[in-house]
Amino acid sequence: MKKVTFTLMTFIMFLFNAVANEIYIKQISGTSSSVTISQSGTGNTIGDSSATTPTVDIDGNSQTIVIDQGGSNNSLTGYLKGSNSNYTIDLTGSSNTQTIKLNATSSTFDFNATGSTNDLTFNAGAVSQIDNLNFDALIVGDSNTFDIDILGDDVVDDIDIDGDSNDITIDQAAFTAGVTNGHMITLDVTGDSNTITLDQQATTTQNIIELEINGSSGTWSVTQQ
């Protein structure tokens, strides 16, 4: 197993495995960082949630983070932290598994996947509340499974899915009363046999859901409070 270690920005550690294409990153309190990670091939891995170290942990404000995985069986597990940042995940291939924890106020998260059997678990605001988050997703493929859980205020989701047999769960809860805007979900699904569960909770503000389904045999559940 050949590993190369080097430092980028404040404290970023990359470990590369020549066979499995593994990347582990640790950045502590970086500011205005620009990080691009690209993997091409099969069996690529970025981070591991089952281990304390190594993992993917990028902490800092005003960051630009781009992760690009091309190939099959890609896996990404990461913790992304900071405010006023832009995060982009681009996937091309099959059987991608993504587990992402985000704590980033006033930030944008773009998730794009072209391929089959993608599985995204997205948890925002698990450690502390977030607000003014824009979550955008464009999915072209089959059998996608989404589990999106967001705790915060002024959250806007814009999700477009072109594929079959999607299972989509979005759970958004407000953190404080009296904010200017509630949550908004715009979901456009083209495909068959979709199962969609949307749950939005706010305090005194308005929640909006725009749902467009072009397909058959879908099961929809929408709850607002």
Side-chain angles (χ1 to χ4, degrees):
M1 180 183 296
K2 181 179 180 182
K3 293 184 178 181
V4 179
T5 305
F6 62 94
T7 302
L8 172 64
M9 301 304 294
T10 50
F11 179 70
I12 301 180
M13 180 174 64
F14 293 79
L15 302 180
F16 296 90
N17 183 295
V19 176
N21 294 330
E22 298 176 0
I23 298 176
Y24 305 108
I25 305 172
K26 179 76 173 181
Q27 174 179 275
I28 302 174
S29 299
T31 300
S32 300
S33 300
S34 180
V35 178
T36 300
I37 303 170
S38 297
Q39 287 183 317
S40 179
T42 60
N44 298 310
T45 299
I46 302 178
D48 182 4
S49 63
S50 65
T52 303
T53 56
T55 187
V56 171
D57 193 339
I58 302 177
D59 190 349
N61 299 326
S62 302
Q63 300 188 98
T64 300
I65 309 297
V66 177
I67 297 175
D68 188 348
Q69 289 183 316
S72 301
N73 302 316
N74 298 305
S75 176
L76 166 63
T77 301
Y79 303 85
L80 307 176
K81 309 171 187 176
S83 61
N84 301 298
S85 297
N86 294 313
Y87 303 94
T88 301
I89 310 294
D90 289 324
L91 306 175
T92 303
S94 304
S95 304
N96 297 298
T97 301
Q98 316 290 312
T99 302
I100 300 169
K101 293 184 178 180
L102 178 71
N103 284 287
T105 291
S106 299
S107 296
T108 299
F109 185 91
D110 292 326
F111 183 84
N112 307 303
T114 301
S116 303
T117 61
N118 298 297
D119 189 341
L120 170 64
T121 300
F122 180 82
N123 191 316
V127 176
S128 61
Q129 79 277 11
I130 62 172
D131 55 26
N132 303 114
L133 173 68
N134 288 331
F135 177 91
D136 299 322
L138 175 60
I139 311 300
V140 180
D142 303 323
S143 305
N144 301 292
T145 301
F146 287 175
D147 187 356
I148 300 171
D149 192 351
I150 300 176
L151 173 63
D153 304 318
D154 298 347
V155 176
V156 177
D157 300 329
D158 189 351
I159 301 173
D160 190 341
I161 300 176
D162 185 0
D164 302 325
S165 305
N166 301 292
D167 184 351
I168 306 159
T169 300
I170 302 176
D171 188 353
Q172 296 189 150
F175 191 85
T176 56
V179 294
T180 303
N181 299 309
H183 298 308
M184 180 171 183
I185 298 175
T186 300
L187 178 60
D188 187 346
V189 179
T190 301
D192 301 325
S193 304
N194 303 293
T195 299
I196 299 171
T197 303
L198 306 180
D199 187 350
Q200 284 194 128
Q201 300 181 30
T203 51
T204 60
T205 56
Q206 184 182 28
N207 287 314
I208 300 174
I209 293 177
E210 295 182 358
L211 179 60
E212 181 175 346
I213 308 297
N214 184 3
S216 58
S217 303
T219 300
W220 316 332
S221 175
V222 178
T223 303
Q224 285 187 320
Q225 299 179 10

